Amino acid sequence: MFIGAQVSLYPMTRDFVGVILSGLSALDPYRDALRIETDDISTLMVGAPGPLLDAIRDLFAGVAKGPAHVAMHVTLSRGCPGEPDDPSCACDVLSVAQSQPLAERQRLALAAVTAAPLSGVEIDLQFSLYVMGSGGHMDEIYGCIAFLKESGTFLRSKNFCTRLRGDAGPVFETLRQAFLRFGPAEGHVTIDLTASANSPSPR
């Protein structure tokens, strides 16, 4: 299976270069576990979802600690049939996901969010889950939405997406659980997300 993300960071400050470069240093602990390639538009990260999602969380939480308004756009994908299998992307959660009833997957997802450590950084995030190539895809999406509403990070539903708010730790853990526990284990699942912190717009 191939699991990866394209990540773009947008600091709203004159020192955007410094913010981006300092933010990328948060990826250093993950460079042995992930394939990381950065160009002038985005950073590609490929690898198992544990370090992958930890790296994305730490990247955004790190830059969000500063005073500047910062936004991040991420496209997450697992199981894309157009990408080669990559042994570094192995994930035990995916191998058992479809052997568990939906209610059990929801219970495990909620437990993981509850146990997520706090980062001390408040963020907003909205995302859309796309389950592709599955006849029962809406059952998986509705199951994910039900989990989100009980997660403690749910803010509201929007057209085409769901809005989350809270500490970056539980918010990104909610995202991780949505990505791993909903949709077929061997199917193609993607998430499109935008995160924001320190926005001057009223909350």
Side-chain angles (χ1 to χ4, degrees), residues 102 106 129 137-148 182:
L102 181 59
Q106 290 169 322
L129 173 72
H137 69 285
M138 287 310 300
D139 291 340
E140 292 295 312
I141 291 173
Y142 288 139
C144 182
I145 291 171
F147 149 65
L148 295 174
F182 301 93

Side-chain angles (χ1 to χ4, degrees), residues 97-194:
Q98 291 307 300
S99 66
Q100 297 170 323
L102 181 59
E104 177 64 6
R105 286 183 277 140
Q106 290 169 322
R107 185 191 69 78
L108 292 169
L110 288 170
V113 174
T114 300
L118 299 178
S119 69
V121 178
E122 292 291 310
I123 68 168
D124 286 80
L125 185 151
Q126 68 181 32
F127 78 98
S128 302
L129 173 72
Y130 300 101
V131 179
M132 293 174 277
S134 171
H137 69 285
M138 287 310 300
D139 291 340
E140 292 295 312
I141 291 173
Y142 288 139
C144 182
I145 291 171
F147 149 65
L148 295 174
K149 289 182 176 180
E150 298 296 323
S151 67
T153 63
F154 177 82
L155 180 63
R156 62 188 173 95
S157 296
K158 297 177 64 177
N159 291 88
F160 322 123
C161 61
T162 298
R163 182 82 179 264
L164 307 179
R165 174 177 288 172
D167 185 275
V171 167
F172 274 99
E173 188 59 37
T174 302
L175 183 76
R176 183 199 312 270
Q177 297 302 314
F179 185 56
L180 296 181
R181 295 199 185 273
F182 301 93
E186 300 303 322
H188 187 194
V189 175
T190 67
I191 281 181
D192 184 79
L193 75 92
T194 301

Side-chain angles (χ1 to χ4, degrees), residues 12-77:
M12 316 299 178
T13 174
R14 289 183 180 179
D15 186 31
F16 63 92
V17 174
V19 173
I20 291 172
L21 292 178
S22 65
L24 289 174
S25 66
L27 303 182
D28 290 346
Y30 303 101
R31 293 189 183 275
D32 290 338
L34 301 173
R35 174 161 57 94
I36 300 174
E37 301 172 6
T38 297
D39 61 25
D40 58 330
I41 294 180
S42 64
T43 294
L44 170 70
M45 303 182 203
V46 177
L52 175 66
L53 288 156
D54 285 351
I56 294 170
R57 176 201 63 207
D58 291 353
L59 170 64
F60 191 67
V63 297
K65 289 178 180 177
H69 177 203
V70 61
M72 180 175 69
H73 180 257
V74 180
T75 301
L76 278 163
S77 177

Side-chain angles (χ1 to χ4, degrees), residues 84-105:
D85 287 344
D86 190 320
S88 72
C89 299
C91 176
D92 292 339
V93 172
L94 293 177
S95 66
V96 299
Q98 291 307 300
S99 66
Q100 297 170 323
L102 181 59
E104 177 64 6
R105 286 183 277 140

